[in-house]
Amino acid sequence: MEIEKVGVVGCGLMGSGIAEVAAKANFDVIVREVSDALVEAGRDRIRRSLDRAVEGEKLTEADRDAAWTRLRFSTELSDLSDRHLVIEAIVEDVKAKNELFATLDELCGPETILASNTSSLTITDMAAATGRPDRVVGLHFFSPVPVMKLVEVVRTIVTSDEAFNSAYAFAERLGKKPIVAQDNSGFVVNLLLVPYLLDAIRQLERGIASVEDIDRAMTLGLGHPLGPLALCDFVGIDTVYRISEIMFDEYRESRYAPPPLLKRIVAMGRFGKKTGQGFYDWSGDQPVPLPL
Ligand code: CAA
């Protein structure tokens, strides 16, 4: 089946990026959010990103305008019923995702491929909530979606070759570089990244180095674009916490357990860049490390 019509459920940071790259790659896209206010916020986020791509000379004005016409927004899941592929990018909560997959399974035609952008839950859980587990895959994108080239394409033990190959080809048509991963919590990237981020927080807890110096070590020593603590702020400290809880629950290995300091920062509502404060204060031109 040739994928032409794409649905995206959730228009937050990830959903908006996925919708944007799909529209830029000539797909007909419908994005669903739960309220008019969230539709507006998502629409604005996509528009700002498209404008930024034009300013950075990554996209012509004509291509931006064409992509914009390929995007439609809705608050009704039933509007996604004619889609060839639906990608879920809602909250990282297994109950919410399973309910969504069960509803999409009822609404969509039997050929529709259902995909999740989950970063730590297993695709198998969502597949089992549907009557088409062979047509459920993982399509895990990286933030910022228009910039990061990788997509992890994930198959379970029952994913059909046909559905998997269609999803893989879709990622390529977006201009991304896909990798193949078997279904497991964390796939390839987060299985490596999450213990690394948590170990950076443990270093801080043990007083080994300051926030600034831990990040400087990894940017200047290894050439990473961001150090691990700045990356936590970028991903969202609440998200890092949620992912580590899910991975710890799955593997029961201490390397995935959230360090107490991470819990304290989340309890204070310091979720990183999106709330203005995390390990850093992001209100000025340059991030300033906060005392912890
Ligand atoms: N559309 C298209 N291109 C864009 C763009 C947009 N909306 N916004 C920025 N760009 C381009 C810019 O034009 C620029 O291109 P050039 O390098 O060719 O000039 C490039 O992206 C970098 O942009 P900036 O110069 O504005 O910004 P920067 O140098 O500060 O880099 C960053 C920003 C790319 C995000 C960089 O900080 C980075 O690589 N950070 C790490 C990101 C990362 O690790 N992401 C993964 C997070 S983990 C995850 O997502 C998964 C999970 O499950 C937790």
Side-chain angles (χ1 to χ4, degrees):
M1 181 191 60
E2 186 77 358
I3 293 170
E4 285 165 12
K5 297 178 185 173
V6 175
V8 179
V9 185
C11 199
L13 191 64
M14 298 306 289
S16 61
I18 296 166
E20 177 190 338
V21 294
K24 282 196 294 194
N26 293 322
F27 292 95
D28 172 292
V29 184
I30 301 181
V31 191
R32 184 266 192 174
E33 253 302 353
V34 287
S35 67
D36 290 339
L38 287 173
V39 162
E40 274 316 301
R43 194 202 305 263
D44 287 352
R45 192 178 292 113
I46 296 175
R47 184 69 206 192
R48 278 198 306 275
S49 179
L50 286 168
D51 288 346
R52 192 167 165 195
V54 171
E55 282 157 27
E57 297 181 354
K58 299 279 187 257
L59 191 68
T60 65
E61 285 189 21
D63 286 345
R64 174 198 58 195
D65 296 344
W68 194 242
T69 63
R70 287 190 284 270
L71 279 161
R72 280 176 288 153
F73 297 83
S74 171
T75 53
E76 300 298 330
L77 265 185
S78 54
D79 285 341
L80 305 185
S81 59
D82 70 340
R83 304 286 96 182
H84 301 131
L85 168 69
V86 178
I87 307 169
E88 162 281 315
I90 65 167
V91 62
E92 194 74 346
D93 175 272
V94 70
K95 191 163 171 284
K97 287 194 194 279
N98 288 355
E99 277 172 18
L100 174 66
F101 271 75
T103 308
L104 288 171
D105 187 41
E106 278 172 24
L107 290 172
C108 297
E111 294 296 303
T112 303
I113 297 171
L114 302 179
S116 173
N117 179 56
T118 182
S119 44
S120 52
L121 295 167
T122 62
I123 304 303
T124 307
D125 269 332
M126 290 164 250
T130 72
R132 66 182 80 196
D134 55 318
R135 303 193 71 69
V136 178
V137 296
L139 279 171
H140 185 216
F141 292 80
F142 291 82
S143 173
V145 179
V147 179
M148 306 310 277
K149 285 279 177 215
L150 182 68
V151 178
E152 293 177 308
V153 187
V154 184
R155 64 185 311 161
T156 72
I157 53 172
V158 298
T159 307
S160 72
D161 287 344
E162 189 266 311
F164 179 82
N165 292 338
S166 293
Y168 190 95
F170 168 75
E172 287 187 314
R173 282 169 67 197
L174 296 180
K176 300 295 183 193
K177 301 284 180 208
I179 61 167
V180 183
Q182 297 295 325
D183 189 31
N184 75 98
S185 177
F187 311 134
V188 173
V189 170
N190 282 337
L191 210 51
L192 294 168
L193 177 67
V194 172
Y196 159 69
L197 297 180
L198 300 179
D199 278 344
I201 299 170
R202 290 187 189 105
Q203 281 201 0
L204 192 62
E205 280 181 333
R206 289 174 198 151
I208 290 171
S210 65
V211 168
E212 209 168 14
D213 281 356
I214 291 170
D215 278 352
R216 186 173 289 165
M218 302 311 280
T219 52
L220 300 189
L222 294 182
H224 290 192
L226 294 177
L229 301 171
L231 187 53
C232 286
D233 277 5
F234 180 78
V235 169
I237 295 187
D238 53 330
T239 304
V240 173
Y241 177 59
R242 197 185 284 260
I243 292 175
S244 74
E245 286 275 53
I246 291 168
M247 292 181 75
F248 180 64
D249 192 42
E250 175 79 8
Y251 297 114
R252 310 292 167 107
E253 289 177 32
S254 57
R255 61 207 304 254
Y256 302 107
L261 177 61
L262 177 60
K263 292 186 186 174
R264 302 290 98 77
I265 298 172
V266 170
M268 290 309 296
R270 277 168 45 173
F271 296 164
K273 216 170 170 181
K274 63 187 168 193
T275 57
Q277 289 195 328
F279 290 104
Y280 293 85
D281 185 328
W282 293 88
S283 56
D285 287 346
Q286 293 294 324
V288 178
L290 286 164
L292 285 165

